[in-house]
């Protein structure tokens, strides 16, 4: 099923408030409006570096599930492309951190980040179906894409120092990649048994809640 009439679109309508809570979080809006407190950005930078490092083995587990469980070999290529951009992301964090006086080797993961990384680990279990894992994988990427894309719109007042960060996740290529992931997730959800679909929806909700908390944490609010 193509993006438009799939299970994912139904869920996005049903859980709209929570979804926009993640994509239009006050921290994202403050980047877009140019009112961001740079200490929030620095906190986010250090914590997200740790998150992205934990996201790599999770991505590898999704790739492994795709190879074992998917009937479509292009799934693997899409996920592999995502892993290649993770490689660039890690390099970007390492280049960006010194500009902000952030020492990545000394960052201690905050509780929300630990919770999020533990959640990713739970999804890495071989018992978790590919359909559930790819749904979580899609939404984790999609919330960043949508959020940062907001900060790149013509009428945005994003500070120049933050443009590169927004570009990283908000660019059209990343948007296309997220739509590919959405199509993959929809295709598998469309043929999964009801209990698997239900677990995928729970995973989606957990991701959205963790994303909101991650932004709150970056604002120093947890
Ligand atoms: C917290 C968080 N969610 C999603 C992404 C997207 O990769 C990220 N880098 N960090």
């Amino acid at each position: 099923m193509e993006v438009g009439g799939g299970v994912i679109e139904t869920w996005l309508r049903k859980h709209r408030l929570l979804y926009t809570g993640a994509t239009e979080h006050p921290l994202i809006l403050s980047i877009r409006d140019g009112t961001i407190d740079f200490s929030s950005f620095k906190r986010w930078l250090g914590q997200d570096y740790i998150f992205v490092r934990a996201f790599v083995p999770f991505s590898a587990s999704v790739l492994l599930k795709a190879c074992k469980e998917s009937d479509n070999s292009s799934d693997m290529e899409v996920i592999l492309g995502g892993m290649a951009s993770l490689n660039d992301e890690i390099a970007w964090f390492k280049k960006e951190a010194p500009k902000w006086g952030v020492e990545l080797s000394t960052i201690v993961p905050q509780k929300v980040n630990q919770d999020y990384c533990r959640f990713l680990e739970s999804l890495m279990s071989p018992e978790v179906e590919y359909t559930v894992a790819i749904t979580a994988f899609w939404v984790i990427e999609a919330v960043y894409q949508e959020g940062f894309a907001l900060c790149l719109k013509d009428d945005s007042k994003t500070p120049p120092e933050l443009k590169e960060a927004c570009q990283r996740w908000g660019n059209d290529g990343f948007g296309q990649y997220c739509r590919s992931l959405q199509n993959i997730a929809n295709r598998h959800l469309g043929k999964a048994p009801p209990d698997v679909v239900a677990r995928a929806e729970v995973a989606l909700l957990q991701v959205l809640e963790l994303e909101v908390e991650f932004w709150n944490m970056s604002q120093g609010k947890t």
Side-chain angles (χ1 to χ4, degrees), residues 63-76:
L63 183 80
L64 191 62
K65 287 181 167 92
C67 295
K68 286 185 176 165
E69 293 179 43
S70 181
D71 46 10
N72 188 329
S73 61
S74 73
D75 285 22
M76 182 198 82

Side-chain angles (χ1 to χ4, degrees), residues 2-210:
E2 285 303 305
V3 168
V7 176
I8 300 266
E9 291 70 36
T10 306
W11 287 345
L12 289 180
R13 280 192 295 274
K14 183 173 164 193
H15 305 300
R16 194 75 219 162
L17 269 181
L18 185 53
Y19 187 76
T20 54
T23 57
E24 297 173 31
H25 187 276
L27 181 47
I28 282 282
L29 297 182
S30 76
I31 296 175
R32 185 199 62 181
D33 298 340
T35 58
I36 184 170
D37 177 352
F38 286 120
S39 68
S40 299
F41 180 77
K42 283 163 62 168
R43 203 175 296 118
W44 169 81
L45 191 74
Q47 293 297 318
D48 210 50
Y49 171 70
I50 294 179
F51 176 84
V52 167
R53 293 190 75 91
F55 194 62
V56 173
F58 170 63
S59 309
S61 78
V62 177
L63 183 80
L64 191 62
K65 287 181 167 92
C67 295
K68 286 185 176 165
E69 293 179 43
S70 181
D71 46 10
N72 188 329
S73 61
S74 73
D75 285 22
M76 182 198 82
E77 290 159 31
V78 173
I79 298 160
L80 187 61
M83 293 185 76
S85 55
L86 284 173
N87 189 37
D88 292 345
E89 274 172 35
I90 288 177
W92 177 79
F93 278 103
K94 288 184 172 170
K95 172 176 77 76
E96 191 70 9
K99 296 188 197 167
W100 297 90
V102 173
E103 177 57 78
L104 292 176
S105 63
T106 64
I107 302 290
V108 177
Q110 297 200 20
K111 180 173 180 302
V112 170
N113 204 357
Q114 286 174 9
D115 291 347
Y116 207 163
C117 294
R118 252 196 298 274
F119 171 69
L120 293 182
E121 263 175 52
S122 73
L123 291 176
M124 286 167 54
S125 157
E127 263 112 85
V128 173
E129 295 84 359
Y130 174 53
T131 303
V132 175
I134 192 72
T135 300
F137 189 70
W138 158 73
V139 71
I140 290 169
E141 298 286 50
V143 291
Y144 260 43
Q145 206 285 323
E146 277 209 36
F148 283 114
L150 269 184
C151 305
L152 296 175
K153 289 199 172 162
D154 287 340
D155 56 351
S156 68
K157 299 191 185 68
T158 300
E161 308 93 301
L162 303 187
K163 283 258 167 74
E164 215 181 272
C166 300
Q167 198 58 48
R168 178 150 291 284
W169 289 277
N171 77 77
D172 292 340
F174 201 77
Q176 188 49 56
Y177 158 65
C178 290
R179 278 188 293 280
S180 300
L181 290 177
Q182 187 170 337
N183 282 327
I184 292 172
N186 262 333
R187 180 161 49 79
H188 289 279
L189 286 162
K191 60 183 182 190
D195 60 318
V196 174
V197 175
R199 283 199 290 279
E201 187 175 12
V202 170
L204 168 101
L205 292 174
Q206 284 172 309
V207 167
L208 293 177
E209 278 161 14
L210 286 161

